[in-house]
Amino acid sequence: MDIKQKPTYKTKRFWAGILLAQFLLFFLFSKVEFIVNLFVKFFEFQKSVHQKIFSLLSFSVGDILYIILGIGLLYFILKIIKKKSRNIFLLRFLILANILYFSYQLFWGMLYFQKPIIQNLPRGNITLKETQDLTLKYLTLCKQTRKLVNEDKNGVFIVTDLNKIKTEILHNQGNLPNFLGHKKAVNINAFKPSLYEGVMSYSGILGYYNPFTAEAQYNAELPSTFLPFTLAHESMHQLGFAREQEANFTGYLIGRNATNLDLKYSTEYFVLKSLLNSLVEKKPEFVKQVIQNYSSEMKRDRMAEKDFVKRHEGFLDVMFGYTNDLFLKSNQQEGSVTYSYFVDLLIRFERSVSKK
Ligand SMILES: [Zn+2]
């Protein structure tokens, strides 16, 4: 009797094996500096290609891809539940998982294992006093810059021209300090308003980078105080900084001396809030005092932010806050609640420039 054997590549076992091998291989890769650097080099090439292609369309292609993927996944699950189609759809599912995992690691995942920026900054202990002094410096800066920006009819800060901000961010990418390594500024506008802005407002997510299309999505519904700095942050992912707190730090370097005052204010205000957050447990009285010393303009901006958050509270907030936190932790980072790595970078950098 003649029994027909399936070729190996058509078996589930084969593709499950490949997936497992990928997990192991990328894990090993992440431990070898030389190999991580190869992925970083590849990213330098890939980012300009992806950004060039996807910037041709003004809407977020990545968001559409996610929708298709979501529908596809649902379809697969339904087919896998049914006994008749289970085998073939499990096989297809495994192949798809292999492709997605591989492209994610190739396009993005390995960038999390780059040498941390903190290693290129001066060491030494950071005292509470130093943090408080810097907080007061940023309070003053915020007050000054806030006087120079525009307001809506309620006296709340409003961004005048988002495109000008985008242009300046892209321009400033070329002027980042050398200690950050050499990431090429490609000067392509691939900022996209997210197609999920409604959901995003409830989730507390300000923006996100799509590793498959290299697009930077932002929530266009956000209050103006958040908006310019969110753009700077996402653009730093596009440049090749994967870690959240390093995107904040490099985003701050983009905005700190911006000639665009909207960008400058949004950055300084982000820094101020981060410093206050880092102090709130150890120096609650100091934090309270600083907030009381906000200018009346800043107080209105703060109320507008609080109001926005309040209007979008709900179960999604809890859910997304939680998953976001998990995602960050799985990438060897701190959760989204603490800002200490950013503040650490910030203070060390401020120290090095103030000495000069
Ligand atoms: Zn980010």
Side-chain angles (χ1 to χ4, degrees):
M1 216 165 69
D2 191 34
I3 299 169
K4 248 197 188 161
Q5 263 226 287
K6 264 195 214 167
T8 345
Y9 66 87
K10 281 191 179 169
T11 62
K12 282 175 291 186
R13 183 185 286 199
F14 174 78
W15 288 104
I18 295 280
L19 192 59
L20 214 64
Q22 279 207 65
F23 289 154
L24 196 72
L25 203 65
F26 280 111
F27 173 74
L28 291 175
F29 282 171
S30 74
K31 305 279 171 203
V32 187
E33 201 184 317
F34 167 72
I35 298 183
V36 172
N37 285 339
L38 287 182
F39 280 96
V40 173
K41 277 208 183 93
F42 176 75
F43 183 81
E44 287 296 301
F45 157 78
Q46 172 241 320
K47 70 180 178 191
S48 48
V49 176
H50 274 177
Q51 286 183 36
K52 234 174 242 162
I53 297 171
F54 293 108
S55 64
L56 296 175
L57 296 158
S58 62
F59 61 90
S60 167
V61 183
D63 283 359
I64 305 270
L65 278 179
Y66 283 155
I67 292 171
I68 295 172
L69 205 65
I71 295 171
L73 216 60
L74 221 64
Y75 177 72
F76 270 50
I77 290 170
L78 289 175
K79 287 288 183 184
I80 288 169
I81 290 170
K82 274 192 196 148
K83 220 171 179 176
K84 224 176 88 189
S85 50
R86 181 171 301 160
N87 253 320
I88 181 74
F89 273 88
L90 262 176
L91 178 72
R92 285 177 189 167
F93 176 77
L94 279 168
I95 295 175
L96 183 70
N98 265 293
I99 295 171
L100 288 177
Y101 183 73
F102 180 77
S103 16
Y104 172 76
Q105 290 293 9
L106 177 69
F107 293 152
W108 187 243
M110 295 306 282
L111 294 192
Y112 284 104
F113 300 97
Q114 293 174 94
K115 202 169 119 191
I117 291 177
I118 193 106
Q119 291 184 11
N120 299 331
L121 283 168
R123 287 161 195 270
N125 277 340
I126 291 167
T127 60
L128 279 175
K129 169 87 173 53
E130 196 177 8
T131 315
Q132 284 171 289
D133 287 347
L134 196 61
T135 309
L136 294 176
K137 174 184 162 185
Y138 270 88
L139 174 65
T140 311
L141 282 173
C142 278
K143 281 180 177 173
Q144 285 168 356
T145 315
R146 178 58 177 84
K147 293 228 177 293
L148 309 169
V149 295
N150 287 321
E151 292 182 344
D152 67 7
K153 60 178 189 323
N154 300 316
V156 175
F157 163 58
I158 189 164
V159 162
T160 332
D161 188 341
L162 209 55
N163 275 323
K164 273 194 188 148
I165 294 173
K166 292 175 184 174
T167 312
E168 169 138 11
I169 290 172
L170 292 174
H171 172 79
N172 291 0
Q173 281 186 355
N175 301 327
L176 284 170
N178 285 331
F179 74 86
L180 295 174
H182 299 283
K183 298 195 184 299
K184 195 175 70 219
V186 288
N187 213 354
I188 298 167
N189 180 345
F191 295 105
K192 310 284 180 80
S194 169
L195 296 180
Y196 316 125
E197 56 176 29
V199 186
M200 278 178 83
S201 297
Y202 285 94
S203 71
I205 297 171
L206 311 177
Y208 52 91
Y209 171 79
N210 189 313
F212 301 100
T213 59
E215 293 163 302
Q217 277 71 216
Y218 61 94
N219 180 2
E221 274 185 354
L222 287 176
S224 283
T225 39
F226 290 115
L227 208 46
F229 186 74
T230 298
L231 290 175
H233 170 105
E234 298 309 329
S235 91
M236 290 299 101
H237 287 318
Q238 289 185 312
L239 197 65
F241 297 101
R243 296 188 185 91
E244 276 310 294
Q245 304 304 331
E246 292 188 354
N248 281 339
F249 174 65
T250 46
Y252 140 82
L253 293 178
I254 290 282
R256 64 189 280 268
N257 289 325
T259 50
N260 183 294
L261 294 170
D262 291 354
L263 176 58
K264 191 164 187 282
Y265 175 57
S266 179
T267 304
E268 289 168 349
Y269 192 46
F270 172 82
V271 170
L272 178 62
K273 283 186 288 186
S274 301
L275 286 164
L276 289 173
N277 266 323
S278 77
L279 286 167
V280 78
E281 268 176 33
K282 281 175 187 146
K283 293 277 172 192
E285 278 309 311
F286 173 81
V287 170
K288 221 188 238 167
Q289 217 181 1
V290 172
I291 293 174
Q292 273 167 6
N293 276 316
Y294 275 19
S295 64
S296 47
E297 295 94 339
M298 287 171 67
K299 281 183 181 157
R300 289 197 293 272
D301 295 349
R302 180 164 179 264
M303 285 320 288
E305 280 189 357
K306 281 185 119 175
D307 189 49
F308 177 82
V309 173
K310 209 169 193 169
R311 271 185 288 125
H312 294 98
E313 261 171 1
F315 85 103
L316 275 172
D317 190 30
V318 180
M319 207 169 84
F320 278 89
Y322 182 61
T323 48
N324 195 24
D325 204 40
L326 271 184
F327 178 73
L328 295 178
K329 283 206 175 96
S330 74
N331 284 309
Q332 295 191 324
Q333 299 176 64
E334 300 161 48
S336 50
V337 213
T338 64
Y339 290 86
S340 63
Y341 181 40
F342 167 68
V343 169
D344 212 5
L345 288 165
L346 171 79
I347 294 179
R348 279 165 210 284
F349 177 77
E350 288 271 343
R351 208 187 262 169
S352 71
V353 284
S354 66
K355 268 188 197 145
K356 272 170 200 167

